[in-house]
Amino acid sequence: MEEGNLVFSVNGERIEVPSIHPSTTLLEFLRSNTRFKSVKLGCGEGGCGACAVLLSKYDPLHDRVEDCSVSSCLTLLCSVNGCSITTSEGLGNSKDGFHPIHERIAGFHASQCGFCSPGMCVSLFSALVNAEKTDRPEPPPGFSKLRVIEAEKAIAGNLCRCTGYRPIVDACKSFAADVDIEDLGLNSFWKHDENKETKAPKLPLYDPSHPISTFPDFLRREMKSGALLNTEQYSWYSPTSLDELCRLLEFYEGEKGVRVKMIVSNTGSSYYKELEKFDKYIDLRHIPELLEIKRDHAGIKFGAGITITKAIESLREGIHNKFMDRTEMMFGKVADHLEKIASGFIRNSASLGGNLVMAQRNQFPSDIATILIVVNSTVDIMTSSTRKTLTLEKFLEMPPLDSRSILVSFYVPALKPTCDASSKSNRKLLFESYRAAPRPLGNALAYLNAAFLADVSPCNGYDSFIVNNIMLSFGAFGTKHAIRARKVEHFLMGKTVDLGVVYEATQLLRAMLVPEPGVSNSVYRTSLAAAFLFEFLIPLIGGGAEILNVGLNGYADSFPNTGSVMKANGNHLDNGINHQTLLLPSKEVIASSKEHYPVGQPVAKAGAAIQASGEAVYVDDIPSPANCLYGAYVYSTKPLAKVKGVTFPSESPPDGVAAIISFKDIPKGGVNMGSKTIFGSEPLFVEDLANSVGDRIALVVADSQKHADMASNAAVVEYDMENLDAPILTVEDAVERSSFYEIPPFLRTHPVGDFPKGMTEADHTIMGAKIRLPSQYYFYMETQAALAVPDEDNCMVVYSSIQCPEFAHSTIARCLGIPDHNVRVITRRVGGGFGGKGIKSIAVATTCALAAHRLRCPVRIYVNRKTDMIMFGGRHPMKITYDVGFKSDGKITALHLELLIDAGMSEDVSPVIPKNLVGALKKYDWGALSFDIKVCRTNHVSKSAMRAPGEVQGSYIAEAVIEHVASSLSIEVDAIRNRNLHTYSSLSLFYKGTGGEPDEYTLPLVWEKVAQFSSFNQRVEMIKQFNGCHTWRKRGISRLPIIHEVMVRPTPGKVGILADGSIVVEVGGIELGQGLWTKVKQMTAFGLGSIQCAGTEDLLNKVRVVQADTVSMLQGGFTAGSTTSESSCEAVRICCSILVERLTPVKKMLQEQSGSVTWETLILTAYVQAVNLLASTLYTPDPASFQYLNYGAAVSEVEINLLTGETTILQSDIVYDCGQSLNPAVDLGQIEGAFVQGIGFFMTEEYLFDSDGFAIANGTWTYKIPTVDTIPKQMNIEVMNSGHHKDRVLSSKASGEPPLLLACSVHCATRAAIKAARQQVLEWSGVDDLDSMFQLSVPATMPVVKELCGFDIVERYLKHSIASSKNVE
């Protein structure tokens, strides 16, 4: 084949790259060398979907184009030679017209911060493109051939931190041919009460008959020649045969110092990070033998280069045959399991062979290896010219493959017949695979995976079975590779399966599967193995007819799968939850109002469409100015150490490094300041002593972000540990050494009532109960980012992704030693903040400014995800000890708390946490409440505000106390909650000055409303019945209230009317995705509309809100605390009133002259008359009413799997009082998003650290935020309109943070389910060794839930059953 330049297309445009380093990824190139910035860097691991693109390849042999989504952050640029790339901009845009995907994402309110939206759109587009290639019936007009379940799964690998996913799923489902249009949620296309027939035509038209060309004709013509890349030009080799590959490997084996990498997809680099560059790359995708799939009656041979997706398709080829044989059944089940590995855009490119080689060389916990071992798969290996075939098991056990060896293919044999065709034996083959992982649909490594294959025969009249042969494989449990459990296999062979045999087998398995030392959750993993084996064997006892009718001769879904569970009334398996779709239809109740039109209307979020198309500009999307350099932090890896210097391993600095910036580079007159609050300041860089892991030591500045990151990883910090005290790493250490931060008097909380008296009045007490709460990482999709550009006259312009530009402005000026008027900080939008883009972002902006000042050129920073998770802290961990007194009827009379809050190495905003925490804790009438709260200074990264800071912990503590009291009294917990809800009188006592008028206390109404809305009482009884009928699944339900106190802060606003009548608005608030700009636009239209002239009804479309600029808009403050939207709106309303007052005389004059007046004429006349059409103000709330209370309640129902500890959230119902919502669609989105983020804190997000405080959960592999498959299956929300609130902005109330507290209902429901499970275990054993007053940790992950149900629950059940059967005999 000829060799040539790298040629591909992006959105139909031809791209030719004469030379580039072969390690360059597609993402790097698109963002640095093209105008297409919709592809975002969210994680760099293929774990978030923000960088997804559509990759299209032309197959000249079959004259067809293959399309699939891939992760551009892992895809090497040289690998796309001859391919076509489509990004979200390529689907449509604001100039040429948006694609229906963009319009529906916007119309279903499915974009908030918008950073993830382009990736979502591409994932959906990929599904649409491939659905249209099927031979399914033509869909109705406006729809596609896509099915609902496919639409949901299309985004299963994409992460979103803002929306809670449900509106995104609705937008996706709106394209599905089989969707019930009535099932779709709130949108801007139709009203809820419209007829079904009128709704579909109102959707933006999708016309599959005019598809977007994903592969341009010019590229098709060029690619017919089949040119490969010039090997010397790109150091990229594309051998076309195994012989050529072997020659290459042998050649480079003799080349010392040359690092060679063989690749198919490069997805392995997501797990095994490359800290150094390779010199040569060998692309294996042009070797035909590695890409073959050969299928015959004996089995399937897969080339090692086959992608997981293609393997799934091949395995499923025969499962649509009604008369498929057992091999096809087995293949179908293997395919189902493979679909749970990784995400779609990874499976589309990741190769089977690469997965197996990682398992063999690097001990990667491969599901594929585990499954293929059990079916006696073999592999074909080639070393030089020598080939050999091994069983997969032997392959995994051999020493790691050397660099000259290649996995060529592997073979999956068909299942052999268990008897002759003439035999009348009823022998059956049974096959199952199992997987327990944090996420059901993949994108998460398994705690344990397993696969079992058994040949069984009935005996004793089909009441039991003999095991003729059995193979058991297990993987991911903490050993080097997947293994066969041969001891257990030998034990089971020839035995008749009964309870005793199953018990002995599980005991033998436990003894055999011992994870290596240091493996996390080792006991849990072993318990899973026993549970999976139990689940596989137990149907063989008394389930003869069912097994005979199924086995592997029946339909694929007939035999129990990994989701199966056992019923209590016998040994038959029950499939439990079996929804055909991921999510069920939800109910959304909103009350829109026209009183202040367009305020109160569910208007679509401003800018949502350009966010979806990728045109919205975030800080890292701003084109790099000329001579721009890039920075990456060097941080401390020690919790307390003297820093002597920073060097590189080699004498010369790494490629591209321009400088290392440290405290020494702070100019004369400047101050080493990285952030400053009213509580204190934090240095920008370590001067002498590093005070925590993650403390900033220096900034490496290089010619690209990649070079800067690589150099920072290579940097060596020299530490001196002598003559230092031990670091303070626990709050107990802080207490021992009196290491505390002072809480200012104005933030100190005061006790309520007489605690000693309350304890005396109590009938019962609980003393010294303890709770620990962990941290939580922000996981904003856009990591910390800033760009600093030196300007004339010693000025500095900084673009920052920050919630408080004003704070960064003053800090930069202090650091550089220049006047404030020499600094300008600009923030257009933030790709998710949640508090983490507040104080924490100041240092990033200041670092950029210092580097730019020192080097006299632009400098930008985009912090990689790992560094972000190590350096930027999160929610405050804490230890709580409490004493509580209560009456026999459950009325609590007194509560005392001792809290130790881990604030880290600097104050940040930690002194506000106690006040926030106590404010949320006071939601119940405790009788008397006292507390002793200490904010501890430790040698950890300083913690900062995170959505509902302190409030979420306070609300949880309240529920933990309530749950403890209920358990102590053996009273239903809901009754205890009811008993301790506030009356207005007690509310006024606990919330002095903020409770409002009696009619504003809506919590009792909300409490009853959520019970009716959710059918709470009926479901409580249904759950009791369910739990009585199911042994291995238990359900729990919980209803709880919240009271959340917020404070309105001063906020500036500016409104200007331009000559054509269009309107420009500036506010102090920052658009974080919370819809602030949208509400401000509505308020502007309402305020100016009061002039009442022709055309004012369309003012909403004339308003533009512009970026925050600290020189243009002073005193912008901090966008936080949920109230900045309403205060910004009020500032704008005041400005509009000023303008209307100025315009009124002009209007009167025009009316007298011509009668009617249009808006355009009014404004033009005002310009002519030199009327000032610019108004600004600083809204300052009334000191008497600047604080107020928010109320809400939620009911959540969950189902737990006692065998695995998996928790499924079946339903959550929320009623939340928004006053009179400024925009009910925006507020609904805030409620959903906050609630799901709270689910992450309470259920899934483990922010783990080592003993020094180094974050070991530092990426998408180890930190699991909620995904579309872990949110509530059904989520019903009522945004309650509680009427007039005279002191609020147009009677509205906050929605950004309070609903997060309601996610505790999921945790409490899980506790209720566990309680039912423990009661069952107690009935089995008769021994009360499972305390009814247990504590459920946060987060309640699968291992935590399983431990509380009993790691030995299977053995307990078997012992009980064996004993029961003996008693019957």
Side-chain angles (χ1 to χ4, degrees):
M1 276 189 168
E2 296 181 3
E3 293 186 347
N5 283 349
L6 172 58
V7 176
F8 58 98
S9 75
V10 179
N11 298 329
E13 298 181 13
R14 188 179 187 276
I15 306 285
E16 184 167 356
V17 185
S19 65
I20 200 160
H21 195 278
S23 67
T24 304
T25 65
L26 176 59
L27 174 71
E28 290 174 60
F29 182 84
L30 290 174
R31 293 193 59 76
S32 301
N33 296 77
T34 76
R35 69 179 187 279
F36 303 115
K37 302 297 179 71
S38 69
V39 284
K40 310 295 186 190
L41 177 59
C43 68
E45 299 177 323
C48 72
C51 69
V53 298
L54 186 78
L55 179 80
S56 303
K57 302 177 185 177
Y58 177 59
D59 177 1
L61 183 63
H62 299 96
D63 191 27
R64 67 186 181 194
V65 173
E66 296 180 353
D67 305 280
C68 66
S69 59
V70 298
S71 188
S72 65
C73 72
L74 302 177
T75 303
L76 296 178
L77 185 68
C78 290
S79 71
V80 305
N81 184 42
C83 298
S84 176
I85 305 299
T86 305
T87 70
S88 194
E89 295 106 323
L91 307 184
N93 53 67
S94 56
K95 293 183 177 62
D96 303 320
F98 292 111
H99 191 277
I101 291 177
H102 301 147
E103 294 174 312
R104 295 191 192 185
I105 286 285
F108 278 95
H109 312 290
S111 182
Q112 290 187 19
C113 88
F115 198 81
C116 72
S117 298
M120 295 279 184
C121 292
V122 169
S123 292
L124 173 58
F125 180 67
S126 175
L128 288 173
V129 167
N130 286 296
E132 296 307 325
K133 295 177 182 178
T134 65
D135 57 0
R136 296 170 187 168
E138 288 301 313
F143 294 91
S144 72
K145 292 182 180 180
L146 198 68
R147 293 169 178 158
V148 165
I149 187 63
E150 294 168 338
E152 292 176 322
K153 288 184 176 181
I155 60 160
N158 296 71
L159 300 184
C160 174
R161 194 54 152 166
C162 297
T163 65
Y165 298 100
R166 194 272 318 157
I168 304 174
V169 171
D170 278 349
C172 294
K173 291 197 302 188
S174 72
F175 289 90
D178 59 340
V179 71
D180 184 342
I181 206 84
E182 296 289 295
D183 291 346
L184 300 179
L186 179 69
N187 61 76
S188 60
F189 306 120
W190 60 72
K191 295 181 180 178
H192 178 71
D193 55 358
E194 288 187 39
N195 292 329
K196 182 176 182 178
E197 293 74 20
T198 66
K199 292 180 177 179
K202 293 185 177 181
L203 285 169
L205 180 63
Y206 173 70
D207 185 0
S209 65
H210 293 87
I212 292 173
S213 174
T214 59
F215 202 91
D217 289 338
F218 73 82
L219 195 60
R220 191 182 304 239
R221 290 190 296 271
E222 288 190 41
M223 288 309 106
K224 283 185 177 179
S225 63
L228 300 176
L229 286 184
N230 184 296
T231 55
E232 298 304 322
Q233 196 172 329
Y234 299 95
S235 297
W236 184 275
Y237 297 83
S238 304
T240 57
S241 69
L242 287 174
D243 288 341
E244 185 182 352
L245 173 61
C246 288
R247 290 195 298 270
L248 269 174
L249 294 177
E250 287 176 5
F251 175 78
Y252 285 117
E253 183 73 14
E255 294 283 310
K256 291 186 178 180
V258 177
R259 302 181 73 239
V260 178
K261 180 176 183 178
M262 290 187 287
I263 68 140
V264 173
S265 66
N266 197 47
T267 53
S269 65
S270 70
Y271 193 72
Y272 299 105
K273 305 296 189 296
E274 295 176 8
L275 301 181
E276 297 179 28
K277 289 181 180 178
F278 287 87
D279 302 297
K280 308 290 182 183
Y281 286 73
I282 300 177
D283 184 355
L284 305 179
R285 296 170 306 141
H286 300 277
I287 302 174
E289 195 169 347
L290 298 183
L291 304 176
E292 289 179 336
I293 301 178
K294 291 185 177 179
R295 186 185 186 114
D296 57 28
H297 68 280
I300 307 180
K301 178 183 177 182
F302 291 101
I306 291 298
T307 66
I308 297 174
T309 295
K310 286 191 178 296
I312 292 170
E313 293 170 356
S314 178
L315 287 165
R316 284 182 172 158
E317 279 182 11
I319 66 172
H320 301 296
N321 180 359
K322 183 176 180 181
F323 303 103
M324 59 184 156
D325 63 20
R326 53 181 160 261
T327 294
E328 301 295 351
M329 293 291 304
M330 184 267 287
F331 285 168
K333 290 192 173 190
V334 171
D336 289 344
H337 191 113
L338 295 186
E339 204 170 38
K340 297 175 184 175
I341 298 172
S343 52
F345 43 77
I346 296 297
R347 293 194 299 268
N348 290 337
S349 56
S351 67
L352 291 171
N355 184 284
L356 292 177
V357 169
M358 285 198 304
Q360 202 272 344
R361 280 183 178 161
N362 308 104
Q363 293 84 53
F364 180 74
S366 165
D367 284 72
I368 296 173
T370 304
I371 296 173
L372 296 185
I373 281 179
V374 85
V375 292
N376 285 324
S377 297
T378 58
V379 298
D380 187 10
I381 301 170
M382 184 172 183
T383 304
S384 297
S385 57
T386 304
R387 295 179 72 153
K388 60 181 176 180
T389 300
L390 299 171
T391 65
L392 178 56
E393 188 176 10
K394 291 291 185 184
F395 171 69
L396 293 173
E397 291 172 351
M398 66 184 284
L401 285 181
D402 60 31
S403 59
R404 295 178 301 118
S405 298
I406 303 145
L407 175 62
V408 177
S409 63
F410 59 93
Y411 184 71
V412 184
L415 296 175
K416 295 180 180 179
T418 54
C419 55
D420 295 333
S422 60
S423 171
K424 296 190 178 180
S425 167
N426 277 320
R427 292 175 68 171
K428 294 293 175 185
L429 284 174
L430 309 176
F431 173 81
E432 282 302 335
S433 69
Y434 300 82
R435 189 174 205 270
R439 290 173 179 156
L441 287 184
N443 205 16
L445 291 178
Y447 293 110
L448 183 83
N449 50 51
F452 308 147
L453 178 63
D455 171 2
V456 300
S457 299
C459 63
N460 299 328
Y462 301 151
D463 284 337
S464 57
F465 283 80
I466 294 175
V467 177
N468 303 310
N469 193 16
I470 190 167
M471 288 178 283
L472 310 170
S473 66
F474 296 89
F477 63 90
T479 55
K480 292 182 179 179
H481 52 74
I483 64 167
R484 287 268 298 276
R486 294 191 181 276
K487 288 184 180 179
V488 185
E489 293 174 1
H490 293 154
F491 168 77
L492 288 169
M493 285 183 198
K495 288 195 170 55
T496 300
V497 181
D498 60 22
L499 294 170
V501 167
V502 175
Y503 178 77
E504 290 186 58
T506 57
Q507 292 299 97
L508 186 60
L509 184 63
R510 278 182 177 275
M512 182 193 153
L513 294 186
V514 180
E516 293 180 350
V519 171
S520 63
N521 302 301
S522 57
V523 179
Y524 170 64
R525 294 173 195 259
T526 304
S527 76
L528 283 174
F532 289 161
L533 181 61
F534 166 80
E535 189 173 354
F536 183 70
L537 294 177
I538 205 71
L540 300 177
I541 305 172
E546 182 179 348
I547 297 298
L548 287 177
N549 289 332
V550 186
L552 276 171
N553 294 333
Y555 292 102
D557 295 333
S558 300
F559 191 72
N561 55 26
T562 54
S564 60
V565 291
M566 288 188 59
K567 290 182 179 177
N569 57 350
N571 290 333
H572 300 289
L573 292 171
D574 165 37
N575 284 331
I577 306 160
N578 187 24
H579 302 315
Q580 291 186 343
T581 58
L582 297 181
L583 304 182
L584 296 174
S586 296
K587 180 169 57 177
E588 294 134 4
V589 180
I590 64 168
S592 59
S593 168
K594 293 189 176 181
E595 181 181 356
H596 306 109
Y597 186 88
V599 172
Q601 293 297 297
V603 174
K605 182 184 180 295
I610 61 169
Q611 289 174 182
S613 69
E615 296 170 274
V617 177
Y618 300 83
V619 169
D620 199 51
D621 297 333
I622 299 170
S624 292
N627 304 314
C628 186
L629 296 175
Y630 302 77
Y633 283 111
V634 176
Y635 52 80
S636 173
T637 57
K638 306 289 184 183
L640 186 65
K642 294 177 183 177
V643 176
K644 300 183 70 175
V646 178
T647 59
F648 294 108
S650 59
E651 293 183 4
S652 58
D655 291 348
V657 171
I660 298 179
I661 303 297
S662 69
F663 77 94
K664 297 175 183 177
D665 294 289
I666 294 171
K668 185 178 180 180
V671 179
N672 185 11
M673 180 184 291
S675 64
K676 189 178 190 306
T677 68
I678 60 172
F679 309 114
S681 63
E682 182 178 302
L684 181 61
F685 288 118
V686 169
E687 291 189 10
D688 174 48
L689 195 66
N691 285 295
S692 77
V693 169
D695 208 352
R696 293 177 296 273
I697 293 175
L699 183 81
V700 177
V701 183
D703 59 358
S704 71
Q705 191 66 60
K706 183 176 184 176
H707 281 154
D709 286 336
M710 293 180 73
S712 70
N713 284 328
V716 177
V717 180
E718 185 180 355
Y719 299 102
D720 181 0
M721 311 292 288
E722 292 184 4
N723 303 318
L724 290 176
D725 293 334
I728 299 171
L729 296 173
T730 67
V731 289
E732 290 85 354
D733 291 344
V735 171
E736 186 177 329
R737 291 161 64 174
S738 298
S739 179
F740 306 119
Y741 295 115
E742 184 179 355
I743 302 174
F746 73 92
L747 286 175
R748 290 176 190 161
T749 51
H750 303 287
V752 179
D754 187 336
F755 175 74
K757 181 182 178 184
M759 292 297 278
T760 302
E761 294 172 352
D763 299 326
H764 311 273
T765 61
I766 297 171
M767 307 297 290
K770 290 179 171 53
I771 304 171
R772 283 189 181 272
L773 290 174
S775 185
Q776 182 185 18
Y777 171 59
Y778 304 103
F779 216 104
Y780 25 59
M781 293 301 296
E782 173 203 38
T783 55
Q784 299 283 352
L787 165 63
V789 182
D791 203 355
E792 63 181 27
D793 198 21
N794 202 26
C795 291
M796 185 66 64
V797 179
V798 180
Y799 301 88
S800 175
S801 179
I802 191 169
Q803 295 174 237
C804 50
E806 179 192 358
F807 291 22
H809 183 122
S810 59
T811 303
I812 291 167
R814 290 286 305 280
C815 180
L816 300 184
I818 58 179
D820 277 14
H821 66 215
N822 281 30
V823 177
R824 183 182 178 198
V825 179
I826 297 171
T827 302
R828 178 174 291 182
R829 60 174 57 82
V830 173
F834 318 116
K837 298 281 182 70
I839 305 303
K840 292 294 183 182
S841 294
I842 299 174
V844 181
T846 306
T847 302
C848 262
L850 174 62
H853 181 86
R854 169 71 178 79
L855 300 174
R856 302 184 182 184
C857 66
V859 175
R860 74 190 316 158
I861 296 174
Y862 188 61
V863 179
N864 65 64
R865 181 64 66 182
K866 178 180 178 180
T867 301
D868 201 288
M869 295 190 74
I870 291 169
M871 290 185 63
F872 293 98
R875 199 179 291 285
H876 289 74
M878 57 187 66
K879 177 184 177 182
I880 306 100
T881 305
Y882 63 87
D883 304 330
V884 61
F886 48 97
K887 297 283 191 181
S888 295
D889 65 355
K891 179 66 186 79
I892 295 171
T893 58
L895 174 64
H896 175 74
L897 296 168
E898 293 182 3
L899 284 95
L900 301 175
I901 300 171
D902 187 344
M905 68 172 184
S906 67
E907 293 96 330
D908 202 281
V909 295
S910 297
V912 308
I913 300 298
K915 183 177 185 299
N916 291 359
L917 187 150
V918 172
L921 175 79
K922 293 190 296 187
K923 66 180 181 177
Y924 289 115
D925 177 6
W926 303 111
L929 175 64
S930 65
F931 30 78
D932 178 10
I933 305 177
K934 292 180 170 62
V935 180
C936 301
R937 185 192 184 281
T938 64
N939 292 110
H940 290 298
V941 171
S942 60
K943 303 303 183 286
S944 193
M946 182 175 178
R947 200 174 194 171
E951 289 100 346
V952 67
Q953 294 100 324
S955 191
Y956 172 78
I957 293 165
E959 298 306 334
V961 173
I962 290 287
E963 296 267 1
H964 201 164
V965 170
S967 294
S968 179
L969 293 172
S970 298
I971 296 176
E972 287 292 334
V973 67
D974 195 69
I976 302 297
R977 291 190 174 102
N978 257 318
R979 186 71 181 83
N980 290 284
L981 286 179
H982 279 295
T983 63
Y984 180 71
S985 176
S986 65
L987 182 85
S988 301
L989 177 65
F990 277 75
Y991 293 96
K992 290 182 178 177
T994 60
E997 299 298 321
D999 61 347
E1000 293 182 295
Y1001 177 45
T1002 59
L1003 183 58
L1005 173 62
V1006 170
W1007 185 246
E1008 292 304 318
K1009 201 176 188 65
V1010 80
Q1012 297 169 10
F1013 186 62
S1014 65
S1015 303
F1016 175 69
N1017 294 322
Q1018 298 93 312
R1019 285 165 61 196
V1020 167
E1021 295 306 313
M1022 291 169 62
I1023 287 170
K1024 289 178 182 177
Q1025 294 175 21
F1026 179 92
N1027 289 343
C1029 297
H1030 294 78
T1031 303
W1032 299 105
R1033 287 188 183 268
K1034 300 294 179 186
R1035 292 182 178 178
I1037 193 168
S1038 178
R1039 172 177 62 152
L1040 58 82
I1042 60 159
I1043 297 179
H1044 190 288
E1045 193 171 22
V1046 297
M1047 178 178 68
V1048 182
R1049 293 185 299 276
T1051 306
K1054 184 191 297 183
V1055 179
I1057 307 174
L1058 303 179
D1060 66 347
S1062 60
I1063 302 149
V1064 63
V1065 180
E1066 288 183 74
V1067 289
I1070 305 300
E1071 176 58 58
L1072 312 171
Q1074 81 280 45
L1076 184 148
W1077 281 7
T1078 310
K1079 290 180 176 180
V1080 163
K1081 285 183 66 173
Q1082 290 174 274
M1083 184 63 81
T1084 304
F1086 163 69
L1088 292 178
S1090 63
I1091 194 71
Q1092 294 183 338
C1093 61
T1096 54
E1097 65 278 359
D1098 193 39
L1099 284 185
L1100 185 63
N1101 295 322
K1102 296 181 182 294
V1103 181
R1104 178 177 295 278
V1105 184
V1106 299
Q1107 62 195 18
D1109 184 331
T1110 55
V1111 172
S1112 175
M1113 180 58 64
L1114 308 183
Q1115 297 173 277
F1118 200 144
T1119 300
S1122 302
T1123 59
T1124 314
S1125 291
E1126 63 197 73
S1127 56
S1128 295
C1129 283
E1130 182 61 11
V1132 164
R1133 192 187 66 80
I1134 293 169
C1135 291
C1136 291
S1137 296
I1138 294 170
L1139 292 172
V1140 167
E1141 185 177 351
R1142 294 173 185 169
L1143 287 169
T1144 299
V1146 181
K1147 177 192 172 186
K1148 287 183 179 178
M1149 180 198 72
L1150 289 171
Q1151 283 179 323
E1152 291 171 357
Q1153 292 176 355
S1154 58
S1156 64
V1157 181
T1158 66
W1159 172 256
E1160 287 75 12
T1161 302
L1162 174 65
I1163 300 307
L1164 188 59
T1165 305
Y1167 261 79
V1168 171
Q1169 295 186 0
V1171 175
N1172 184 0
L1173 294 183
L1174 179 66
S1176 63
T1177 189
L1178 177 67
Y1179 162 60
T1180 305
D1182 185 343
S1185 60
F1186 75 104
Q1187 290 180 290
Y1188 67 91
L1189 302 180
N1190 292 273
Y1191 307 108
V1195 171
S1196 288
E1197 180 183 350
V1198 307
E1199 182 174 302
I1200 62 171
N1201 183 328
L1202 276 58
L1203 295 178
T1204 65
E1206 180 183 10
T1207 301
T1208 302
I1209 309 170
L1210 300 179
Q1211 183 174 328
S1212 289
D1213 300 270
I1214 297 170
V1215 174
Y1216 184 77
D1217 179 6
C1218 267
Q1220 291 186 23
S1221 172
L1222 297 175
N1223 183 320
V1226 166
D1227 287 334
L1228 176 70
Q1230 288 295 287
I1231 294 166
E1232 281 185 291
F1235 186 83
V1236 169
Q1237 194 170 108
I1239 289 173
F1241 176 64
F1242 287 113
M1243 301 301 294
T1244 68
E1245 297 177 32
E1246 287 187 286
Y1247 200 10
L1248 301 176
F1249 300 83
D1250 68 11
S1251 58
D1252 283 338
F1254 191 94
I1256 53 179
N1258 52 35
T1260 55
W1261 285 99
T1262 49
Y1263 192 82
K1264 300 300 180 185
I1265 71 170
T1267 43
V1268 69
D1269 52 339
T1270 56
I1271 64 173
K1273 299 293 180 187
Q1274 186 174 23
M1275 194 163 174
N1276 305 313
I1277 299 174
E1278 178 175 349
V1279 183
M1280 192 177 94
N1281 185 335
S1282 58
H1284 183 64
H1285 299 273
K1286 63 182 177 67
D1287 295 321
R1288 306 277 60 85
V1289 176
L1290 298 189
S1291 296
S1292 67
K1293 300 180 76 174
S1295 64
E1297 293 174 286
L1300 188 144
L1301 280 57
L1302 292 170
C1304 186
S1305 61
V1306 174
H1307 192 269
C1308 291
T1310 305
R1311 190 184 188 281
I1314 294 171
K1315 184 177 179 182
R1318 289 164 72 93
Q1319 181 60 40
Q1320 176 179 263
V1321 173
L1322 173 62
E1323 293 169 1
W1324 290 345
S1325 62
V1327 179
D1328 191 5
D1329 59 346
L1330 293 178
D1331 188 356
S1332 63
M1333 290 184 282
F1334 63 91
Q1335 185 182 131
L1336 178 60
S1337 300
V1338 174
T1341 58
M1342 291 171 69
V1344 168
V1345 173
K1346 178 66 187 289
E1347 181 177 13
L1348 289 172
C1349 294
F1351 285 143
D1352 60 347
I1353 191 170
V1354 163
E1355 287 82 350
R1356 286 178 182 247
Y1357 169 80
L1358 289 169
K1359 285 180 181 179
H1360 164 70
S1361 299
I1362 292 168
S1364 298
S1365 63
K1366 287 180 179 179
N1367 291 336
V1368 171
E1369 293 173 3

